[in-house]
Amino acid sequence: MSKKLAIEITNLTKSYEDVKAVRGIDLKINKGEFYGLLGPNGAGKSTTINSITSLVKPSKGSIKIFDQDIEKNFRFARSKIGIAQQEVSQDWFFPMEKLLYFQAGFYGVKKTKAKDRIDYILNKLGLDEHKNKKMRELSGGMKRRLQIAKALVHDPEIIILDEPTAGVDVELRHDLWVYLQELHKDGKTILLTTHYIDEAELLCERVGIIDNGKLIVEDSVNNLKKLVNKSSIVIHLKDDITSINFLNDFNHHISEKKVYVQTESPNLDLPKIILKFSEASVNIEDVHIPQTSLEDVFLDLTGRKIND
Ligand code: ADP
């Protein structure tokens, strides 16, 4: 049986006058999946997710939420999705709690139910002691949490977050990650955009790498890493040695007291290599096997770094 799709994007295209922001993206996100769109600034991430919530009108393509076209069934889509946008809306005059009640009203959540829900979210996001503060009294981190709170007020099945931890301090980032993982465990479908590699690696079951308006690859983090042939062992030497003939069975080179060994199976080859050093009485200072990251995948595919 095929998995139920929460979001299905077909051939999404968006141009702003002469800028082609999104160039034909196809994306299928399963119900309950935690999916990350990873890419540099300007890649087209926000345009893509804002199209899902009709904040952006696509030039071409179609989007379905639980099998229903978002244009034909706008209300249905709206009820299923909560989005935390990157830009903070300019509701300067009302306290945070009031803004959440407005949001609940917008989604048709009844007042009694809204109270429980708002209390719960304020508590979950560590905002309750700030609930009477107005926007201008909030720190950057609080504003971001408020954005997320607004997205969650109607308890949506699909949660879309645009760069949820951009500009947020380390501790709050961690708290938000924990909460997002909790929401995921509760069965929510989560789609986030990020240019933080560690965020995508830690949270997302599948990652789509987006660059220049195109989805260039998507898979689980582990499978994406397999795309990069970077397996190697780095041996730091105690002394400056320029050639090592006992290692001729291995593809290697030496530079500045470091021996770089190229191998497909570093864990298997490591003991053999150490033994050779030991037999030749060459002293080793340290050994490590560099881990591949999604940055390597992006670099391999595009020739650039994500955050350049
Ligand atoms: P990302 O979210 O990956 O940073 P965006 O989707 O925001 O990327 O932007 C993709 C491209 O579209 C960028 O070149 C950006 O400058 C352009 N763009 C986005 N929104 C607008 C807009 N409202 N008007 C004109 N150009 C836009």
Side-chain angles (χ1 to χ4, degrees), residues 142-177:
M142 281 186 230
K143 282 184 189 145
R144 191 142 292 261
R145 275 180 282 173
L146 171 60
Q147 287 295 102
I148 296 172
K150 283 170 77 179
L152 298 176
V153 151
H154 59 301
D155 198 13
E157 282 181 57
I158 300 173
I159 300 160
I160 301 180
L161 307 150
D162 199 358
E163 299 272 357
T165 64
V168 160
D169 67 54
V170 177
E171 199 181 333
L172 176 55
R173 261 185 109 194
H174 180 259
D175 289 351
L176 281 174
W177 285 350

Coordinates of all heavy atoms in Angstrom, one line a residue, residues 142-177:
M142 N 12.3 35.5 21.2 CA 10.9 35.4 21.6 C 9.9 35.6 20.4 O 8.9 35.0 20.3 CB 10.6 36.5 22.7 CG 11.0 36.1 24.1 SD 10.5 37.4 25.2 CE 11.9 37.7 26.1
K143 N 10.3 36.6 19.6 CA 9.5 36.8 18.4 C 9.4 35.6 17.5 O 8.4 35.2 17.0 CB 10.2 37.9 17.5 CG 9.9 39.3 18.1 CD 10.5 40.4 17.2 CE 10.4 41.7 17.8 NZ 11.5 42.6 17.5
R144 N 10.5 34.9 17.4 CA 10.5 33.6 16.6 C 9.6 32.6 17.2 O 8.9 31.9 16.6 CB 12.0 33.1 16.5 CG 12.1 32.1 15.4 CD 13.4 32.2 14.7 NE 13.4 33.3 13.8 CZ 13.1 33.3 12.5 NH1 12.8 32.2 11.9 NH2 13.1 34.4 11.8
R145 N 9.7 32.5 18.6 CA 8.9 31.5 19.3 C 7.4 31.9 19.1 O 6.5 31.0 19.0 CB 9.2 31.4 20.7 CG 10.4 30.5 21.0 CD 10.7 30.4 22.4 NE 11.5 31.5 22.8 CZ 11.8 31.8 24.1 NH1 11.4 31.0 25.1 NH2 12.6 32.8 24.4
L146 N 7.1 33.2 19.1 CA 5.7 33.6 18.9 C 5.2 33.2 17.5 O 4.1 32.8 17.3 CB 5.6 35.2 19.1 CG 4.3 35.8 18.7 CD1 3.2 35.2 19.5 CD2 4.3 37.3 18.8
Q147 N 6.1 33.4 16.5 CA 5.8 32.9 15.2 C 5.4 31.4 15.2 O 4.4 31.0 14.5 CB 7.0 33.1 14.2 CG 7.3 34.5 13.8 CD 6.2 35.1 13.0 OE1 5.4 35.9 13.5 NE2 6.1 34.8 11.7
I148 N 6.2 30.7 15.9 CA 5.9 29.2 15.9 C 4.6 29.0 16.7 O 3.7 28.2 16.3 CB 7.1 28.5 16.6 CG1 8.3 28.6 15.6 CG2 6.8 27.0 16.8 CD1 9.6 28.1 16.2
A149 N 4.4 29.7 17.8 CA 3.1 29.6 18.6 C 1.9 29.8 17.7 O 0.9 29.1 17.7 CB 3.2 30.5 19.8
K150 N 2.0 30.9 16.9 CA 0.9 31.3 16.0 C 0.6 30.1 15.0 O -0.6 29.9 14.7 CB 1.2 32.6 15.3 CG 1.0 33.8 16.1 CD 1.6 35.0 15.5 CE 0.6 35.6 14.4 NZ 1.2 36.8 13.8
A151 N 1.6 29.5 14.6 CA 1.5 28.4 13.6 C 0.8 27.2 14.3 O 0.1 26.4 13.6 CB 2.8 27.9 13.1
L152 N 0.9 27.1 15.6 CA 0.4 25.8 16.3 C -1.0 26.0 16.9 O -1.5 25.0 17.4 CB 1.4 25.4 17.3 CG 2.8 25.0 16.8 CD1 3.7 24.7 17.9 CD2 2.7 23.9 15.8
V153 N -1.5 27.2 16.9 CA -2.7 27.5 17.7 C -3.9 26.6 17.3 O -4.6 26.2 18.2 CB -3.1 29.0 17.5 CG1 -4.6 29.2 17.6 CG2 -2.4 29.9 18.5
H154 N -4.1 26.3 16.1 CA -5.2 25.5 15.7 C -4.8 24.0 15.6 O -5.5 23.2 15.0 CB -5.8 26.0 14.4 CG -4.9 26.0 13.2 ND1 -3.7 26.7 13.2 CD2 -4.9 25.4 12.0 CE1 -3.1 26.5 12.1 NE2 -3.8 25.7 11.3
D155 N -3.7 23.6 16.2 CA -3.3 22.2 16.3 C -3.3 21.6 14.9 O -3.9 20.5 14.7 CB -4.2 21.4 17.3 CG -3.5 20.2 17.7 OD1 -2.3 20.0 17.5 OD2 -4.3 19.3 18.3
P156 N -2.6 22.1 14.0 CA -2.6 21.6 12.6 C -1.9 20.3 12.4 O -1.0 20.0 13.2 CB -1.9 22.7 11.8 CG -0.9 23.3 12.8 CD -1.6 23.3 14.1
E157 N -2.3 19.5 11.4 CA -1.6 18.3 11.2 C -0.3 18.5 10.5 O 0.7 17.7 10.6 CB -2.5 17.4 10.3 CG -3.6 16.7 11.1 CD -4.4 15.8 10.2 OE1 -3.9 14.9 9.6 OE2 -5.6 16.1 10.1
I158 N -0.2 19.5 9.7 CA 1.1 19.8 8.9 C 1.7 21.1 9.5 O 1.0 22.1 9.5 CB 0.8 20.0 7.4 CG1 0.2 18.7 6.9 CG2 2.0 20.3 6.7 CD1 -0.3 18.8 5.4
I159 N 2.9 21.0 9.9 CA 3.6 22.2 10.4 C 4.7 22.6 9.5 O 5.6 21.8 9.2 CB 4.1 21.9 11.9 CG1 2.9 21.5 12.8 CG2 4.8 23.1 12.4 CD1 3.3 20.8 14.0
I160 N 4.7 23.9 9.0 CA 5.7 24.3 8.1 C 6.4 25.5 8.8 O 5.9 26.4 9.2 CB 5.0 24.8 6.8 CG1 4.2 23.6 6.1 CG2 6.1 25.3 5.8 CD1 3.5 24.0 4.8
L161 N 7.7 25.3 8.8 CA 8.6 26.3 9.5 C 9.7 26.8 8.6 O 10.5 26.0 8.1 CB 9.2 25.6 10.7 CG 8.2 24.9 11.7 CD1 8.9 23.7 12.4 CD2 7.7 25.9 12.7
D162 N 9.7 28.2 8.4 CA 10.7 28.7 7.6 C 11.9 29.2 8.4 O 11.7 30.1 9.2 CB 10.1 30.0 6.8 CG 10.9 30.3 5.6 OD1 12.0 29.7 5.4 OD2 10.5 31.2 4.9
E163 N 13.0 28.5 8.3 CA 14.2 28.8 9.1 C 13.9 29.1 10.6 O 14.1 30.1 11.1 CB 14.8 30.1 8.6 CG 15.3 30.0 7.1 CD 16.7 29.4 7.0 OE1 17.4 29.2 8.0 OE2 17.1 29.2 5.9
P164 N 13.3 28.0 11.3 CA 12.8 28.2 12.6 C 13.9 28.7 13.6 O 13.6 29.3 14.6 CB 12.3 26.9 13.0 CG 12.9 25.9 12.1 CD 13.1 26.6 10.8
T165 N 15.1 28.4 13.4 CA 16.1 28.8 14.4 C 17.2 29.8 13.9 O 18.2 30.0 14.5 CB 16.9 27.5 14.9 OG1 17.6 27.0 13.8 CG2 16.0 26.5 15.4
A166 N 16.8 30.5 12.8 CA 17.7 31.5 12.3 C 17.9 32.6 13.3 O 16.9 33.1 13.8 CB 17.2 32.0 10.9
G167 N 19.1 32.9 13.6 CA 19.4 34.1 14.5 C 19.0 33.8 16.0 O 18.8 34.7 16.7
V168 N 18.7 32.5 16.3 CA 18.3 32.2 17.7 C 19.5 31.7 18.4 O 20.4 31.0 17.9 CB 17.2 31.1 17.5 CG1 17.0 30.4 18.8 CG2 15.9 31.7 17.1
D169 N 19.6 32.0 19.7 CA 20.8 31.5 20.5 C 20.8 30.0 20.7 O 19.8 29.3 20.5 CB 21.0 32.3 21.8 CG 19.9 32.0 22.8 OD1 19.7 30.8 23.1 OD2 19.2 32.9 23.3
V170 N 22.0 29.5 21.0 CA 22.2 28.0 21.0 C 21.2 27.3 21.9 O 20.7 26.3 21.6 CB 23.6 27.8 21.5 CG1 23.9 26.3 21.6 CG2 24.6 28.4 20.6
E171 N 21.0 27.9 23.1 CA 20.1 27.2 24.1 C 18.7 27.1 23.6 O 18.0 26.0 23.6 CB 20.1 27.9 25.4 CG 19.6 27.1 26.6 CD 19.6 27.9 27.8 OE1 20.4 28.9 27.9 OE2 18.8 27.7 28.7
L172 N 18.2 28.2 23.0 CA 16.8 28.2 22.5 C 16.7 27.3 21.3 O 15.7 26.6 21.1 CB 16.4 29.6 22.1 CG 15.0 29.8 21.5 CD1 13.9 29.1 22.3 CD2 14.7 31.2 21.3
R173 N 17.7 27.3 20.4 CA 17.8 26.4 19.3 C 17.6 24.9 19.7 O 16.8 24.2 19.2 CB 19.1 26.4 18.6 CG 19.2 27.3 17.4 CD 20.6 27.1 16.8 NE 20.5 26.4 15.6 CZ 21.6 25.9 15.0 NH1 22.8 26.0 15.5 NH2 21.4 25.3 13.8
H174 N 18.3 24.6 20.8 CA 18.2 23.2 21.3 C 16.8 22.9 21.8 O 16.2 21.9 21.5 CB 19.3 23.0 22.4 CG 19.2 21.6 23.0 ND1 18.6 21.3 24.1 CD2 19.6 20.5 22.4 CE1 18.7 20.0 24.4 NE2 19.3 19.5 23.3
D175 N 16.2 23.9 22.6 CA 14.9 23.7 23.1 C 13.8 23.5 22.0 O 12.9 22.7 22.0 CB 14.4 24.9 23.9 CG 15.2 24.9 25.2 OD1 15.9 24.0 25.6 OD2 15.1 26.0 25.9
L176 N 14.0 24.3 20.9 CA 13.1 24.2 19.8 C 13.2 22.9 19.1 O 12.2 22.2 18.7 CB 13.3 25.3 18.8 CG 12.7 26.7 19.1 CD1 13.2 27.8 18.2 CD2 11.2 26.6 19.2
W177 N 14.5 22.4 19.0 CA 14.7 21.1 18.3 C 14.0 20.0 19.1 O 13.3 19.1 18.5 CB 16.2 20.8 18.3 CG 16.9 21.5 17.2 CD1 16.4 22.3 16.2 CD2 18.4 21.6 17.1 NE1 17.4 22.9 15.5 CE2 18.6 22.5 16.0 CE3 19.4 21.1 17.8 CZ2 19.9 22.8 15.5 CZ3 20.7 21.4 17.3 CH2 20.9 22.2 16.2

